[in-house]
Amino acid sequence: MSKKILLLIILTVIGCNKTKESSKDNSLQNVLEKGIFGYGNCPEYPPFSFINDKGNIEGYDVDFASYIASNIGVKSEVNNIPWESLIVALNQKQYDAVISAITPLEAQSAGELVDFTIPYITLNEIIITKKDNNDINGKKDLENKIIGVQDSTSASIAADMLSEQGIKVKEIKKYDRNANAVADLNNGRIDAIVVGEAYAATSANNDSSIKIINDPINSADVVIVLRKGDEELKNALNNAIEQFISSDYNKAILKKWIPFRD
């Protein structure tokens, strides 16, 4: 064998080994080594997450993340991120995952380079309107009405699906935040809002002029969002979620934050 051929074989083997090393999945190992599972969260969706009187983020998602992190042997660390930047910051590796009452469709609409875990909870998309509105008693009553939704959310997707259910609304107004839609509802600019049932319950509790129309338009799974390729971390999180779902801890935080699920 010539020296040139031997050198070519050696270089090829080295190149292949470097490729394998560079493509190695260190996602779980990185979390274990730093001892922290960092996640992005937009604390504008109570009772999943919100900023309390002390300026701290709390809610169902925060307690859930604490359990998941503890299950894999580390501490959780929440990062306050605007909704529209959650996936961008994830792909920039500012944290390990997104836990923010987010659905697969919402994650995929924000970026293609994402993956997600099994669901840790499923929520319905329902309707809220003014308590003195006697015209809307179910989703069929949204016919020829002006409805509001938060843009780039599962509620927005559900609202767009109304036409597929034979319900033709007059207009769908899309907002940056649910709070802005609620303000327009209170000011009579829209007739109803399509939101997740958790947000609906919180809104009704905080505002006695709002009522819930519990006629589900769609159901949405809530997941942890990860960078595509972080398979080791995803497997560890999936195992933790499976234990979480059947745990007494889950029952306790459901009762604490989402009691209407009982």
Side-chain angles (χ1 to χ4, degrees), residues 114-216:
V114 296
D115 198 358
F116 28 83
T117 63
I118 60 175
Y120 60 90
I121 193 170
T122 299
L123 293 175
N124 292 321
E125 307 294 343
I126 58 177
I127 303 160
I128 59 174
T129 188
K130 297 294 289 181
K131 189 165 284 185
D132 59 4
N133 186 327
N134 298 315
D135 296 331
I136 300 176
N137 298 294
K139 60 186 176 184
K140 289 185 178 180
D141 297 326
L142 295 177
E143 182 82 25
N144 204 34
K145 298 293 193 300
I146 301 174
I147 63 173
V149 292
Q150 181 175 323
D151 198 11
S152 301
T153 64
S154 57
S156 179
I157 295 167
D160 290 336
M161 292 170 59
L162 284 168
S163 60
E164 298 174 13
Q165 301 178 40
I167 303 167
K168 294 183 180 180
V169 302
K170 183 176 181 179
E171 183 184 356
I172 298 176
K173 296 185 100 174
K174 299 193 176 184
Y175 298 83
D176 290 337
R177 296 291 184 269
N178 276 320
N180 297 334
V182 172
D184 268 6
L185 178 67
N186 286 328
N187 289 320
R189 297 189 184 100
I190 58 177
D191 300 302
I193 308 172
V194 177
V195 294
E197 59 183 336
Y199 189 90
T202 301
S203 298
N205 286 337
N206 294 336
D207 187 344
S208 60
S209 70
I210 288 176
K211 69 176 178 181
I212 294 173
I213 308 298
N214 196 8
D215 185 9

Side-chain angles (χ1 to χ4, degrees), residues 22-262:
S22 63
S23 63
K24 185 179 179 182
D25 177 11
N26 294 315
S27 55
L28 177 59
Q29 189 62 32
N30 290 338
V31 170
L32 295 176
E33 286 179 357
K34 65 184 179 181
I36 293 172
F37 171 60
Y39 64 97
N41 178 277
C42 177
E44 299 177 9
Y45 192 65
F48 277 89
S49 60
F50 60 96
I51 297 176
N52 62 22
D53 295 338
K54 296 181 180 179
N56 299 319
I57 301 175
E58 65 174 351
Y60 180 87
D61 273 348
V62 177
D63 288 349
F64 163 71
S66 178
Y67 176 97
I68 294 300
S70 178
N71 186 275
I72 61 178
V74 297
K75 294 181 179 180
S76 63
E77 180 181 83
V78 61
N79 295 264
N80 186 341
I81 305 291
W83 175 263
E84 57 273 11
S85 301
L86 284 170
I87 303 301
V88 174
L90 173 67
N91 285 327
Q92 290 175 346
K93 297 188 177 181
Q94 293 184 26
Y95 37 74
D96 305 299
V98 173
I99 301 178
S100 193
I102 193 167
T103 70
L105 282 175
E106 290 169 342
Q108 288 172 325
S109 67
E112 295 179 357
L113 300 177
V114 296
D115 198 358
F116 28 83
T117 63
I118 60 175
Y120 60 90
I121 193 170
T122 299
L123 293 175
N124 292 321
E125 307 294 343
I126 58 177
I127 303 160
I128 59 174
T129 188
K130 297 294 289 181
K131 189 165 284 185
D132 59 4
N133 186 327
N134 298 315
D135 296 331
I136 300 176
N137 298 294
K139 60 186 176 184
K140 289 185 178 180
D141 297 326
L142 295 177
E143 182 82 25
N144 204 34
K145 298 293 193 300
I146 301 174
I147 63 173
V149 292
Q150 181 175 323
D151 198 11
S152 301
T153 64
S154 57
S156 179
I157 295 167
D160 290 336
M161 292 170 59
L162 284 168
S163 60
E164 298 174 13
Q165 301 178 40
I167 303 167
K168 294 183 180 180
V169 302
K170 183 176 181 179
E171 183 184 356
I172 298 176
K173 296 185 100 174
K174 299 193 176 184
Y175 298 83
D176 290 337
R177 296 291 184 269
N178 276 320
N180 297 334
V182 172
D184 268 6
L185 178 67
N186 286 328
N187 289 320
R189 297 189 184 100
I190 58 177
D191 300 302
I193 308 172
V194 177
V195 294
E197 59 183 336
Y199 189 90
T202 301
S203 298
N205 286 337
N206 294 336
D207 187 344
S208 60
S209 70
I210 288 176
K211 69 176 178 181
I212 294 173
I213 308 298
N214 196 8
D215 185 9
I217 296 173
N218 191 35
S219 294
D221 289 332
V222 180
V223 296
I224 300 176
V225 182
L226 305 149
R227 289 182 289 273
K228 192 173 287 294
D230 286 0
E231 290 295 323
E232 292 294 331
L233 180 57
K234 183 174 79 169
N235 290 338
L237 294 177
N238 279 339
N239 289 334
I241 291 171
E242 287 178 348
Q243 295 177 51
F244 166 79
I245 289 171
S246 60
S247 69
D248 290 336
Y249 181 86
N250 184 28
K251 294 176 184 177
I253 66 172
L254 275 172
K255 186 176 182 179
K256 176 183 178 182
W257 297 114
I258 317 178
F260 63 86
R261 293 298 297 266
D262 292 344

